[in-house]
Amino acid sequence: MTNLENEEVKTKKERKKLGLTTTILIALGLGIVCGVIFHYFIPQSSIRDDIFINGIFYVGGQGFIRLMQMLVVPLVFCSIVCGAASIGDTKTLGTVGVKTLCFYLVTTALAISVALCVGNLINSGLGVDMSSIVVSDTSSLDTAQNSSSSVTDTLLAIIPKNPVQALANGDMLAVIFFALFVGIIISLLGRKVETVHRFIEQFNDIMMKMTSLVMCVAPIGVFCLLSRTFANVGFEAFLPMVKYMVGVLLALTLQCFVVYMIMLWLLGRVSPVMFIKKFFPVMLFAFSTATSNATIPLNMETLERKMGVDGKISSFTIPLGATINMDGTAIMQGVAVVFTAQLFGVNLGPIEYATVIATATLASIGTAGVPSVGLITLSMVFNSVGLPLEGIALIMGIDRILDMTRTAVNITGDAVCTTVVAKQSGRVNLDVYNDPDAGKEMDVISA
Ligand code: ASP
């Protein structure tokens, strides 16, 4: 083949390649269209329900989520051990850890305050026709409430009684604690444990590669997830609750595009526009799966390869954030509190609002980032100010679409805090961050 022919083949191949963001966006749009067609235009039948909605779409969507979840525990464990072992001095680790924790807590408190303001501004609970809303069963919430542990128990559970069990159960805070400990000991023992250190490093490389490969099927997973959601609920379920939804979406947008962007600009001194451009695929991914935990691998890889954030920092702060930092969830809870209070005519004063802020912030600690968990912890928040649990039952029906959106905000919050903390510790490679093409290879999948 001549050089010219070679070039031609190459360009043809390039043309055949689509960015991951574009492909996921197309899959997302097609999924919504397909779901709506199934809901409105195809009559109920066993082919529609059993073969497509609960068969192909369910298996495709859940299969993809399971693939991502499969990566989480080994990836988090290995990368935290490697990160802690190579940061070496525990002082730096401590400073980064404390700073990150403070950022996480402050942004969550801020998020819920934004939500309370927005909720009160648009008065989402006034003028809602209660008769048009079917109240669902609240018994599952009562059970969840009874089993939700106290703050002290949550804190104690960070220390695993049995690390193997913590790994097997995917108990993230306990896994993080144990991995940090192992990493620090590896760095203290140095050459003596070189073999173990290299083994874990190489296993980490395997997990990173696996993440990239699994991402190639993301568009199929996203299509199936969206098709099933819209085929099941259509648009009708949303109508009576439009005001509440608008409130949550408005507060989420404010947090994501105002609060976070100001943080990046003021505290991190990096370009917010560049951040959003590069981070968008991760947001889409979180939106489709509604699972912060499953997004951990992609989030870590994006920060490292596209933004130049030191992997030793992100490997520790991202899994931690997915577990304890849920700004989007806190926002939903804030708006839900105002909505329910107005709906049931309960008066909330400054003390109640302060209680809501404190409870919602604490509730997000130790709660795994999985679908709908925000509704369960919402019962804790409602109880703290004496709101009826029926309010939760009302918003349950439409929660899926909000869950998707708030998960995107949850993981953006983790990434923003990580970028700011890493930048302040001099651990962001600005050449990579400012290079629009950095990490582009992550975006290219064969069409
Ligand atoms: N689905 C959310 C997450 O995984 C949690 C929630 O708000 O329900 O981050």
Side-chain angles (χ1 to χ4, degrees), residues 69 289-294 322 326 329 367-374 403 406-407 410:
Q69 284 171 332
T289 58
T291 316
S292 298
N293 274 6
M326 295 192 181
T329 305
T367 323
V370 291
S372 298
V373 73
D403 193 4
R406 67 178 181 255
T407 307
N410 284 345

Side-chain angles (χ1 to χ4, degrees), residues 20-34:
L20 181 61
T21 323
T22 324
T23 327
I24 294 186
L25 260 180
I26 295 173
L28 203 137
L30 286 179
I32 295 178
V33 173
C34 174

Side-chain angles (χ1 to χ4, degrees), residues 154-442:
T154 310
L155 290 178
L156 266 180
I158 296 176
I159 307 172
K161 275 198 257 176
N162 176 352
V164 179
Q165 194 179 27
L167 285 163
N169 292 343
D171 195 347
M172 292 315 285
L173 283 181
V175 170
I176 293 172
F177 179 86
F178 184 65
L180 267 176
F181 221 150
V182 174
I184 292 170
I185 304 286
I186 287 181
S187 93
L188 287 180
L189 291 178
R191 304 200 71 184
K192 242 182 177 178
V193 289
E194 211 174 21
T195 321
V196 176
H197 191 179
R198 278 196 33 219
F199 173 79
I200 299 182
E201 264 176 356
Q202 288 177 358
F203 198 70
N204 194 30
D205 291 341
I206 295 177
M207 296 315 297
M208 289 302 253
K209 183 71 192 166
M210 214 184 265
T211 308
S212 313
L213 291 181
V214 169
M215 280 314 292
C216 292
V217 294
I220 302 175
V222 167
F223 172 81
C224 292
L225 286 167
L226 270 282
S227 295
R228 185 162 189 268
T229 302
F230 279 85
N232 275 334
V233 291
F235 290 117
E236 275 151 22
F238 301 144
L239 288 179
M241 314 293 273
V242 165
K243 251 180 147 185
Y244 163 73
M245 286 185 81
V246 169
V248 178
L249 294 176
L250 185 68
L252 288 174
T253 313
L254 279 177
Q255 178 79 5
C256 197
F257 295 103
V258 179
V259 176
Y260 290 157
M261 297 305 111
I262 292 179
M263 273 177 71
L264 283 170
W265 184 57
L266 270 187
L267 304 175
R269 304 242 163 244
V270 288
S271 155
V273 179
M274 189 64 87
F275 181 92
I276 286 292
K277 265 191 190 158
K278 293 185 173 184
F279 197 70
F280 195 58
V282 192
M283 292 168 84
L284 281 182
F285 179 70
F287 178 80
S288 317
T289 58
T291 316
S292 298
N293 274 6
T295 319
I296 294 174
L298 184 66
N299 201 345
M300 277 164 42
E301 214 188 340
T302 304
L303 283 177
E304 199 176 332
R305 284 167 64 181
K306 288 190 177 176
M307 325 272 200
V309 172
D310 190 340
K312 289 163 202 150
I313 306 252
S314 55
S315 64
F316 158 57
T317 55
I318 293 298
L320 185 70
T323 315
I324 71 166
N325 187 40
M326 295 192 181
D327 298 350
T329 305
I331 283 176
M332 174 278 282
Q333 297 181 336
V335 180
V337 162
V338 179
F339 172 75
T340 311
Q342 289 178 344
L343 208 61
F344 290 92
V346 180
N347 255 336
L348 297 180
I351 296 192
E352 281 81 13
Y353 281 131
T355 314
V356 168
I357 295 177
T359 328
T361 309
L362 290 176
S364 69
I365 300 178
T367 323
V370 291
S372 298
V373 73
L375 280 185
I376 310 277
T377 47
L378 185 59
S379 60
M380 268 166 78
V381 180
F382 272 27
N383 262 14
S384 72
V385 285
L387 284 174
L389 287 186
E390 280 73 17
I392 304 182
L394 292 181
I395 53 183
M396 253 181 180
I398 50 145
D399 191 61
R400 176 70 193 184
I401 192 88
L402 293 179
D403 193 4
M404 293 156 77
T405 322
R406 67 178 181 255
T407 307
V409 175
N410 284 345
I411 54 108
T412 308
D414 304 339
V416 166
C417 288
T418 300
T419 310
V420 170
V421 171
K423 175 70 193 333
Q424 291 185 347
S425 321
R427 286 172 184 266
V428 175
N429 182 339
L430 285 178
D431 292 337
V432 176
Y433 188 97
N434 293 319
D435 176 3
D437 291 330
K440 259 263 153 74
E441 66 282 359
M442 272 180 78

Side-chain angles (χ1 to χ4, degrees), residues 11-214:
T11 358
K12 269 189 190 157
K13 265 192 188 161
E14 283 301 320
R15 244 185 268 134
K16 269 194 177 171
K17 288 179 170 182
L18 278 179
L20 181 61
T21 323
T22 324
T23 327
I24 294 186
L25 260 180
I26 295 173
L28 203 137
L30 286 179
I32 295 178
V33 173
C34 174
V36 168
I37 293 177
F38 266 80
H39 186 81
Y40 292 104
F41 302 105
I42 301 182
Q44 278 186 354
S45 66
S46 82
I47 297 192
R48 186 195 91 147
D49 296 336
D50 300 335
I51 300 195
F52 280 95
I53 301 181
N54 296 321
I56 299 174
F57 297 158
Y58 181 69
V59 173
Q62 290 307 312
F64 173 58
I65 293 188
R66 289 178 78 109
L67 270 178
M68 289 306 283
Q69 284 171 332
M70 171 185 85
L71 304 170
V72 173
V73 172
L75 182 66
V76 166
F77 180 76
C78 295
S79 54
I80 290 185
V81 172
C82 295
S86 50
I87 284 187
D89 77 279
T90 40
K91 223 174 130 205
T92 316
L93 203 64
T95 321
V96 169
V98 171
K99 244 190 189 174
T100 311
L101 270 179
C102 292
F103 266 112
Y104 283 163
L105 291 179
V106 170
T107 48
T108 308
L110 231 128
I112 189 156
S113 314
V114 168
L116 291 174
C117 294
V118 170
N120 274 303
L121 266 179
I122 67 166
N123 289 326
S124 52
L126 301 181
V128 175
D129 178 8
M130 292 279 280
S131 62
S132 62
I133 302 167
V134 187
V135 177
S136 354
D137 183 17
T138 49
S139 53
S140 60
L141 293 169
D142 288 331
T143 329
Q145 173 60 30
N146 292 337
S147 63
S148 62
S149 48
S150 68
V151 176
T152 41
D153 286 339
T154 310
L155 290 178
L156 266 180
I158 296 176
I159 307 172
K161 275 198 257 176
N162 176 352
V164 179
Q165 194 179 27
L167 285 163
N169 292 343
D171 195 347
M172 292 315 285
L173 283 181
V175 170
I176 293 172
F177 179 86
F178 184 65
L180 267 176
F181 221 150
V182 174
I184 292 170
I185 304 286
I186 287 181
S187 93
L188 287 180
L189 291 178
R191 304 200 71 184
K192 242 182 177 178
V193 289
E194 211 174 21
T195 321
V196 176
H197 191 179
R198 278 196 33 219
F199 173 79
I200 299 182
E201 264 176 356
Q202 288 177 358
F203 198 70
N204 194 30
D205 291 341
I206 295 177
M207 296 315 297
M208 289 302 253
K209 183 71 192 166
M210 214 184 265
T211 308
S212 313
L213 291 181
V214 169

